[in-house]
Amino acid sequence: MKTFTTRREIREYLSAQSPATVGFVPTLGALHNGHLSLIAQAKKANDIVVCSIFVNPTQFNDPKDLENYPRPIEADIAKLEQAGCHVLFNPAVSEIYDNNEQWHLDIGPLEHLLEGEFRPGHYQGVTQVVYKLLDIVKPNTLYMGQKDYQQFMVVSRMVELLDIPVKMVMCPIEREPDGLAMSSRNIHLSPADRQHALILSKTLNWVKANFDSNNITDLQQQAMDLLKTEDGVQPEYFEIVDGKTLLPADRNSETIVALTAARVGKTRLIDNLLIR
Ligand code: AMP
């Protein structure tokens, strides 16, 4: 695997290779099998797979979260080598941002729904960094996880609005055997939190199993109640939405997804499940 830390070097390398197709997997690092499943999917369809590891400060609304974000770069490099990733882009913050850069993209209601309500500014930071990374890597295909469902919709909207020539592929959520969605933040869970965290996937599955026999508003309320019954769990939202707009679902919505976020101990987790 080739590792680059500057824009100039990675651009030069990719243009010299002139591959038929480049697949790109942007990450914040602290890699787990969820990330590696994206690399594997990208490898199936591309000549060159580029992974970026960049803890993007502009998407963190909580400075403590940014400070505590795990950065095990040596272990990450070993995992990427093992997965057969071809190129790692691992820039410093100063390589990506000039001081006091301004960015705003009007992505409509998507910005303030769900995660947007609880993480103000988060999706502006996400679109800002993904725009820059796409401009550097110029991939044919961008691979992102369903784990961050709203992020996928936000980036799709940006790609559409700015007419960026990239295809987007959504990869399924990788879970631990007991159902917990893999996340870089799971290492912050104490053994007790780790057990309590199972209530997220259990509740999502319960809602899916009961979807046809209940009305949507009641289901959302029951799901919130179920989450609250678990020790150490403070739910922020549980919503059943139209999978395309992320506005409240109705029974006619073609795609329906349930999304939730909760604090488990001190750790904030998100999860979701396609209901239809
Ligand atoms: P992150 O490093 O958390 O920004 O994630 C980088 C990419 O990996 C994003 O597209 C995520 O949606 C995806 N991802 C994170 N967790 C998982 C998972 N458990 N399964 C599949 N993809 C994931």
Side-chain angles (χ1 to χ4, degrees):
M1 183 172 71
K2 295 267 181 202
T3 298
F4 299 102
T5 56
T6 67
R7 293 188 267 198
R8 189 178 54 78
E9 285 169 313
I10 189 171
R11 276 191 176 126
E12 278 175 10
Y13 176 79
L14 290 173
S15 76
Q17 298 292 308
S18 64
T21 58
V22 173
F24 180 41
V25 178
T27 81
L28 303 181
L31 302 179
H32 49 66
N33 285 340
H35 299 114
L36 300 180
S37 72
L38 272 57
I39 303 279
Q41 196 154 337
K43 277 195 61 149
K44 281 190 207 151
N46 296 279
D47 287 351
I48 289 194
V49 173
V50 179
C51 175
S52 63
I53 295 182
F54 180 62
V55 184
N56 172 39
T58 69
Q59 74 188 68
F60 282 79
N61 51 307
D62 175 356
K64 276 230 168 70
D65 189 24
L66 173 60
E67 194 183 316
N68 294 334
Y69 204 83
R71 291 166 168 87
I73 189 67
E74 295 303 326
D76 284 351
I77 289 172
K79 286 176 191 172
L80 289 174
E81 295 268 13
Q82 172 83 25
C85 180
H86 304 111
V87 175
L88 167 62
F89 183 48
N90 179 215
V93 173
S94 57
E95 183 67 20
I96 299 296
Y97 295 114
D98 288 336
N99 283 333
N100 298 322
E101 244 178 76
Q102 297 299 309
W103 170 269
H104 185 266
L105 182 69
D106 186 356
I107 49 172
L110 276 179
E111 180 173 356
H112 300 293
L113 297 167
L114 303 159
E115 285 299 284
E117 184 185 338
F118 288 89
R119 302 189 67 186
H122 173 62
Y123 287 123
Q124 289 302 327
V126 168
T127 52
Q128 181 180 28
V129 77
V130 174
Y131 178 80
K132 281 172 178 267
L133 292 170
L134 289 176
D135 185 51
I136 295 165
V137 177
K138 302 220 182 318
N140 301 83
T141 309
L142 174 62
Y143 295 83
M144 300 186 89
Q146 184 201 321
K147 166 81 186 343
D148 299 274
Y149 192 94
Q150 188 175 3
Q151 170 172 275
F152 187 93
M153 302 313 284
V154 163
V155 173
S156 300
R157 183 77 188 121
M158 175 180 76
V159 163
E160 183 182 70
L161 281 170
L162 303 182
D163 202 16
I164 301 172
V166 68
K167 181 179 153 203
M168 301 221 16
V169 171
M170 186 191 278
C171 304
I173 303 177
E174 292 291 317
R175 296 180 180 279
E176 302 290 353
D178 60 9
L180 180 69
M182 290 184 183
S183 163
S184 304
R185 290 190 169 86
N186 290 351
I187 62 154
H188 294 314
L189 296 168
S190 69
D193 292 343
R194 173 70 185 73
Q195 282 309 111
H196 299 317
L198 295 178
I199 194 70
L200 272 74
S201 55
K202 278 187 191 154
T203 304
L204 287 163
N205 283 311
W206 180 85
V207 164
K208 183 168 183 165
N210 290 278
F211 187 72
D212 289 332
S213 48
N214 287 273
N215 86 54
I216 291 178
T217 319
D218 290 349
L219 275 172
Q220 289 181 161
Q221 189 55 53
Q222 287 163 332
M224 282 297 274
D225 292 344
L226 204 57
L227 290 167
K228 282 181 199 156
T229 58
E230 188 74 21
D231 272 355
V233 175
Q234 287 176 287
E236 289 185 346
Y237 62 80
F238 188 106
E239 290 192 35
I240 299 170
V241 301
D242 182 292
K244 295 218 170 86
T245 61
L246 302 194
L247 295 169
D250 62 52
R251 294 266 160 198
N252 301 322
S253 300
E254 198 183 311
T255 315
I256 296 178
V257 57
L259 300 111
T260 187
R263 289 199 179 268
V264 180
K266 289 189 179 130
T267 310
R268 185 174 186 280
L269 299 180
I270 59 171
D271 199 354
N272 69 79
L273 188 66
L274 281 170
I275 303 288
R276 178 193 288 165

